[in-house]
Amino acid sequence: MRKGALKKKQRQLEDLLLDRREALGELVLGMYVQNAWDDDLLARGAAEVAEVENELSELIAGNEPEGPSTTEKDFPVTGEYRLPTGEHAYPTTGEYTAEHAVPATGEYTAEHSLPGSAEHTAEYTAEHELPDAPDEEPKLSRAEKKAAKKAEKERKRKEKEEAEVPPAEPATPPAASAPAAPAPAPKPAAPAPAAKTPEAPAAPAETAKDPAKKPIAVPPPPAPPAPEPTDPLDILEKQITDSEARAKTAMEAAKASTNADAKTELTAITREVESSRSLLDQSLEKAAAAIAAAEEKASRAEAKLVRETAAGREAAAEWVRGQAAEIEADAALAAEMTGEPGAAPTAPGEPDPVLSARVASLEAELAAEKASKEEALTMAAARLKEIEQAAKLAEARVEAAEAAATEAQNQAKETAAPAGGSGSATEAEAREAAVNWLRGQISALRQEIAKGDESGKETGGN
Amino acid sequence: MGLFSRGGQTGRERRAMQDHLRELDEMRRRNLGELGQMTVEMASAGSFDRRRLSEQAAEVAKIDREADLIARGLEEGLTLQELEDLARGADGAGPA
């Protein structure tokens, strides 16, 4: 190959590589947009890009590639490409000219009649333009317009290339163009009727001359796979369909997200309710703990009061006993003094003035002592009364505490009732024991008070 | 058409939009090429990392959206301010 041809080939390959990479990127983008991934398709696309890469590297290395170059194969630009086969040489849109090779099956020859409608005879031939697009075209995105423009460009380039290359033998299709491929057939749903009968341009003329000529009996072609569109209109149609599918997918996604939002909201409400319930449980536990603490505090206060009362009563009794002992000692002293034998050697019947004075003073002292003791007794009685009153008050408090304890016990029972369990039962038993102990303490207190009364009476009697 | 008057756009704004549109085209081609190359590399490695592919494809989709917006601005003769409002969804519809 000449150097210039090699350069040209390399340039073509580079362009093709870029185009195929972009097409592969478009394919990935389409899969991303539709969220429909096909690893097989990706692998095939990547293989096509790798094929061009290999060929280019071979060319750069100086090895001329053997066989048909990838630049001679068709490669649609829309991303919906497939492995290049012979069918790619036959567009389905009605641009069939005599230069096109006849398909291998021989189904479509000049002997075939065109459809009876007159429009098919004149309008759709190779020389005619394609029918115009409808006036109200859907608004395309920029990428779609660009793809259409690119497809148009590609088509023109191909036409130019075909014009440069001498046409192949119309009767014998090239072996490379249809290697073990299914029989190429036009797209069944193609809008142009010419797509159904791609024929040479001579056919309409012949049909016009001899309309009575019947087509030979040819079995209907097998249902072919839908060929890849290469016509810009088909591409646009496909893109519109894709856009619709995309919109539908987006709508479904929006619906799904709405459902997901509702579910999320429900979950949030449920969580909120659960958290509120747990907060309520915690506050109930706190209240129960506060009640228990208050009960304990009350019991401690009661015990303290009982201790103080007992101590006060003991002190009063001690004091009273001391006073009584003193009085007894004074009385004994007075009796000793009055009955003293050798007190004074005075004459009998004659009182000793000193002794008399001393007796008088002692009597006065005794009287004063008595008075003071009486006063002390009075005070002791008053103190005893106070103590009694305090004891009564303590008793009342104890009763109130008992009532509170009973109430608390009832509450605890009520609280513990729904929960059940052995822990609450033991707690109730402990409370019951505490109440019993408290009752014992109260009775002991009462006995103490009674003893205090008796001792007070005895002291008052002295 | 019809949403905004054509008269609001200045020549400078139009040129700026056209330049930006060209830049976006170039960027799109480059990103698509990178995406294709990434796919080829993944294919040769034997596994496709969809997360990476999705990230790159999302970039391209972003460029597409921006290019659509700019193209609409050029078609409807929007000023840059109107275009910004449109991009921010000030018209209630939001950018495409």
Side-chain angles (χ1 to χ4, degrees):
Chain A
M1 203 179 279
R2 286 188 298 113
K3 197 176 175 184
L6 278 175
K7 283 246 175 199
K8 188 182 172 190
K9 183 90 178 165
Q10 184 178 343
R11 207 167 44 246
Q12 281 177 345
L13 278 173
E14 283 169 355
D15 288 345
L16 186 61
L17 180 63
L18 287 177
D19 281 350
R20 285 199 179 185
R21 270 187 195 157
E22 283 178 24
L24 186 55
E26 289 274 8
L27 177 66
V28 176
L29 180 63
M31 287 180 181
Y32 166 73
V33 169
Q34 295 185 9
N35 196 19
W37 297 93
D38 186 350
D39 287 355
D40 189 37
L41 199 57
L42 284 179
R44 286 165 65 192
E48 289 186 357
V49 178
E51 185 187 3
V52 182
E53 267 181 350
N54 289 337
E55 194 174 340
L56 184 60
S57 58
E58 287 284 318
L59 195 68
I60 289 170
N63 303 328
E64 283 189 29
E66 294 174 0
S69 170
T70 45
T71 53
E72 294 160 14
K73 296 174 185 172
D74 185 25
F75 190 82
V77 295
T78 54
E80 298 94 11
Y81 54 83
R82 51 186 174 151
L83 286 173
T85 63
E87 294 102 353
H88 290 287
Y90 309 109
T92 58
T93 54
E95 301 107 8
Y96 297 101
T97 62
E99 287 81 24
H100 284 285
V102 174
T105 57
E107 291 160 14
Y108 302 107
T109 63
E111 286 79 28
H112 284 283
S113 65
L114 283 174
S117 169
E119 62 189 19
H120 300 301
T121 58
E123 281 180 24
Y124 301 109
T125 63
E127 292 82 19
H128 286 278
E129 287 294 326
L130 285 171
D132 289 336
D135 291 339
E136 290 182 3
E137 281 186 355
K139 197 162 188 177
L140 302 171
S141 74
R142 183 164 173 75
E144 287 166 345
K145 283 179 190 170
K146 200 160 170 281
K149 207 183 278 182
K150 205 168 176 184
E152 179 71 20
K153 201 175 159 189
E154 187 75 9
R155 191 178 61 78
K156 281 181 181 169
R157 188 180 65 79
K158 247 180 259 168
E159 279 178 3
K160 202 176 170 186
E161 281 179 5
E162 282 168 4
E164 286 174 2
V165 175
E169 288 294 322
T172 57
S177 63
K187 190 176 171 184
K196 288 180 183 172
T197 56
E199 293 181 3
E206 280 182 22
T207 314
K209 281 177 190 170
D210 187 9
K213 191 172 181 179
K214 298 289 177 191
I216 56 172
V218 177
E228 296 292 332
T230 52
D231 185 70
L233 284 177
D234 286 347
I235 291 166
L236 286 180
E237 190 182 345
K238 186 163 174 46
Q239 282 168 348
I240 289 162
T241 315
D242 287 349
S243 302
E244 283 174 0
R246 229 175 291 161
K248 200 175 172 186
T249 313
M251 204 168 68
E252 284 170 2
K255 274 183 190 171
S257 72
T258 311
N259 288 340
D261 284 349
K263 279 179 187 170
T264 312
E265 202 171 339
L266 191 63
T267 314
I269 289 168
T270 313
R271 277 184 194 158
E272 204 172 326
V273 168
E274 281 175 1
S275 63
S276 307
R277 194 179 292 167
S278 65
L279 278 176
L280 195 63
D281 289 345
Q282 282 175 1
S283 58
L284 278 173
E285 283 174 6
K286 278 182 188 169
I291 287 169
E295 282 175 5
E296 197 180 350
K297 204 171 175 182
S299 63
R300 273 200 301 243
E302 283 163 13
K304 192 178 175 186
L305 187 64
V306 168
R307 278 199 305 273
E308 281 178 358
T309 311
R313 195 175 294 129
E314 188 64 29
E318 188 68 26
W319 183 80
V320 169
R321 277 198 290 273
Q323 291 297 315
E326 277 184 18
I327 289 166
E328 282 173 6
D330 284 345
L333 184 63
E336 191 183 343
M337 285 175 69
T338 48
E340 210 170 23
T346 54
E350 219 174 283
D352 191 357
V354 178
L355 192 63
S356 309
R358 193 175 170 193
V359 167
S361 70
L362 279 173
E363 279 177 350
E365 200 177 338
L366 187 66
E369 192 78 21
K370 270 189 181 175
S372 70
K373 279 178 183 174
E374 276 176 6
E375 192 181 352
L377 276 174
T378 316
M379 282 174 66
R383 171 81 176 148
L384 199 62
K385 274 189 180 176
E386 279 180 13
I387 288 167
E388 277 179 9
Q389 211 164 355
K392 278 181 185 172
L393 280 173
E395 204 174 340
R397 276 194 206 171
V398 166
E399 281 176 3
E402 196 177 345
T406 314
E407 194 178 349
Q409 196 177 0
N410 290 336
Q411 277 184 359
K413 276 180 185 171
E414 283 174 7
T415 314
S422 60
S424 57
T426 50
E427 192 181 351
E429 283 172 6
R431 277 202 188 138
E432 189 68 31
V435 168
N436 288 336
W437 179 82
L438 212 55
R439 279 178 187 149
Q441 290 297 314
I442 289 163
S443 60
L445 200 61
R446 277 180 184 152
Q447 284 173 2
E448 285 279 332
I449 291 164
K451 275 183 189 172
D453 283 345
E454 282 174 8
S455 65
K457 278 176 191 170
E458 282 172 6
T459 316
N462 287 340
Chain B
M1 311 282 176
L3 272 181
F4 303 96
S5 64
R6 255 185 195 285
Q9 194 180 53
T10 63
R12 183 173 291 180
E13 283 173 332
R14 192 166 185 79
R15 275 194 298 279
M17 283 185 202
Q18 284 166 345
D19 290 346
H20 188 48
L21 202 54
R22 272 193 291 276
E23 285 171 12
L24 287 174
D25 279 347
E26 280 301 312
M27 205 185 292
R28 185 177 194 276
R29 280 181 65 98
R30 206 165 46 242
N31 281 12
L32 278 179
E34 285 171 7
L35 184 56
Q37 184 60 30
M38 190 189 290
T39 312
V40 171
E41 285 165 7
M42 286 179 188
S44 64
S47 69
F48 294 100
D49 185 354
R50 287 184 186 166
R51 191 183 58 78
R52 280 182 63 206
L53 290 177
S54 295
E55 282 173 3
Q56 187 76 17
E59 286 292 317
V60 180
K62 232 186 284 180
I63 292 169
D64 279 349
R65 279 199 294 276
E66 190 174 350
D68 282 343
L69 185 73
I70 302 286
R72 183 175 169 189
L74 280 170
E75 276 179 14
E76 297 182 2
L78 305 179
T79 64
L80 288 177
Q81 183 60 46
E82 287 168 341
L83 205 59
E84 191 178 338
D85 292 344
L86 195 63
R88 290 180 195 283
D91 61 344

